[in-house]
Amino acid sequence: MIRATLFLLLLAAAPANADRAAAEAAYEQGAWELAAYEAQRLETADGYAFAAGALLARLMVEDVGEDREALAERAVDLAEYALRLDEDHVEARLRLAGALGFRGRYMGGWRAYLTRLPQRGRNLLEEVVARQPDNAWALGMLGAWHLEVARRGGSRGLRALDASVEAGMGYYSQAIALDPQSPAPRYFLALGLAALDEPAYQTRIRDLVGSARALPPRDAFETAILGELDEFSARLDDRRAASAWADARLQR
C-alpha cells in the first residue's frame, strides 16, 4: 500500500520547470534531499534513478540515525520505479543494488539471506558490469558486496554466497584504476579491510588512506569522504580501535 501510494504521488507531482541541472547542482553541494526532489520531478527513469542515488549518497556519508531504514526504502522505491519506466536502465539497476544493500544491512544476516537481498544485489551489479565493464561505481560496489559478506558472515557467509575477500579487493582495485581521482573506492576498501581486523591488511589500509587523503574533492560527497578519512586516519595506530571504528561505520 505504501509503495502504491508513493507511485501515485510520483505521478501526480507535475514537473513544473523540472531541471536536471538543478538536481545536479544540489547534489554537488551536498543537498541530497533537494537533489532527490528536483530529479524526481523530471518524471523520467533518469530522474528517479538520480533521486535514488542522491538518497544513497546521504546514507553513505551522513549518520541519519533512526531515519536510515525509511531512507533506504525510499531509495529502493525510486530505483524500482525507474526500472518500471525503463527495465534496461543501467543506473537504476546500480542504485537498486545499493539500496538493497542498505536494506539488508539493517536486518539480520540470516533474514537477509533468506529474502535473497544479497543475491539480488550481486546479480544486479554483475549485470551492470557485464554491460559496462568500465563502470567504476559498479565495480566498487561489487567489491563492497564481497567485503560486506566477509564482515557480516565470516567464513560461513563467504562459502554460502560464493564470495571472497580477494574478489572484493580485486573489484575495488579495478574501480580505483578507472577513477583514480576519487577518494571513495580507496576509503571504502580501507574501511572494509579494517573491519575484518586482520594484521596482514594493515600496510594496505595505510597506503589506501594516505593516497585517498591526498586527493582534492570534486563535490560535497567527496568532501564528506575526506572528512571521514581524517577521522579514520587518526585511529590507524591502534589496529583494534581502527577495526571497531570501521565496523561501527559500516553498520550505521
Side-chain angles (χ1 to χ4, degrees), residues 60 136-148 165-179 184-193 204 208 250:
M60 291 173 74
W137 267 105
L139 289 162
M141 289 173 67
L142 260 180
W145 185 91
H146 281 268
L147 293 186
E148 183 68 0
V165 174
E166 292 75 19
M169 294 175 69
Y171 284 123
Y172 264 125
S173 294
Q174 292 180 64
I176 291 168
L178 285 165
D179 190 2
R186 289 174 166 84
Y187 171 54
F188 287 111
L189 172 54
L191 205 64
L193 292 176
R204 178 67 168 145
L208 288 163
L250 290 169

Side-chain angles (χ1 to χ4, degrees), residues 11-251:
L11 288 171
N17 300 317
D19 187 353
R20 169 73 180 231
E24 292 176 347
Y27 184 98
E28 289 176 3
Q29 295 166 15
W32 316 120
E33 289 287 351
L34 178 59
Y37 169 75
E38 293 290 354
Q40 172 178 321
R41 293 196 323 135
L42 295 169
E43 296 188 354
T44 63
D46 284 347
Y48 294 127
F50 188 96
L55 297 184
L56 290 174
R58 186 180 176 205
L59 279 167
M60 291 173 74
V61 300
E62 288 186 9
D63 186 355
V64 297
E66 295 180 357
D67 293 336
R68 63 185 189 174
E69 293 186 42
L71 201 59
E73 288 299 323
R74 286 173 59 201
V76 169
D77 288 339
L78 286 164
E80 287 185 333
Y81 194 69
L83 286 173
R84 285 193 180 192
L85 297 180
D86 180 358
E87 63 182 12
D88 293 322
H89 200 280
V90 171
E91 185 183 350
R93 289 174 181 272
L94 190 61
R95 303 313 174 196
L96 179 56
L100 291 173
F102 276 102
R103 177 194 277 174
R105 181 181 294 185
Y106 304 146
M107 64 174 62
W110 184 241
R111 182 183 169 205
Y113 177 79
L114 290 177
T115 55
R116 298 191 63 78
L117 286 182
Q119 298 94 318
R120 187 183 178 197
R122 180 182 190 171
N123 288 340
L124 286 164
L125 292 172
E126 290 180 341
E127 287 172 3
V128 172
V129 169
R131 296 184 186 192
Q132 297 181 350
D134 59 348
N135 190 313
W137 267 105
L139 289 162
M141 289 173 67
L142 260 180
W145 185 91
H146 281 268
L147 293 186
E148 183 68 0
V149 171
R151 183 183 75 85
R152 296 191 63 187
S155 58
R156 183 180 180 185
L158 290 170
R159 288 194 300 271
L161 290 169
D162 190 26
S164 73
V165 174
E166 292 75 19
M169 294 175 69
Y171 284 123
Y172 264 125
S173 294
Q174 292 180 64
I176 291 168
L178 285 165
D179 190 2
Q181 298 306 308
S182 173
R186 289 174 166 84
Y187 171 54
F188 287 111
L189 172 54
L191 205 64
L193 292 176
L196 301 179
D197 195 20
E198 292 287 345
Y201 300 137
Q202 296 312 297
T203 299
R204 178 67 168 145
I205 292 168
R206 286 184 178 278
D207 289 345
L208 288 163
V209 170
S211 60
R213 294 179 73 201
L215 296 171
R218 297 174 294 188
D219 56 25
F221 177 78
E222 292 187 355
T223 297
I225 291 294
L226 289 169
E228 292 195 9
L229 276 159
D230 289 342
E231 291 187 57
F232 188 30
S233 178
R235 293 166 169 80
L236 292 183
D237 287 338
D238 183 336
R239 192 189 85 232
R240 294 296 172 85
S243 178
W245 190 87
D247 189 61
R249 170 63 181 78
L250 290 169
Q251 291 186 55

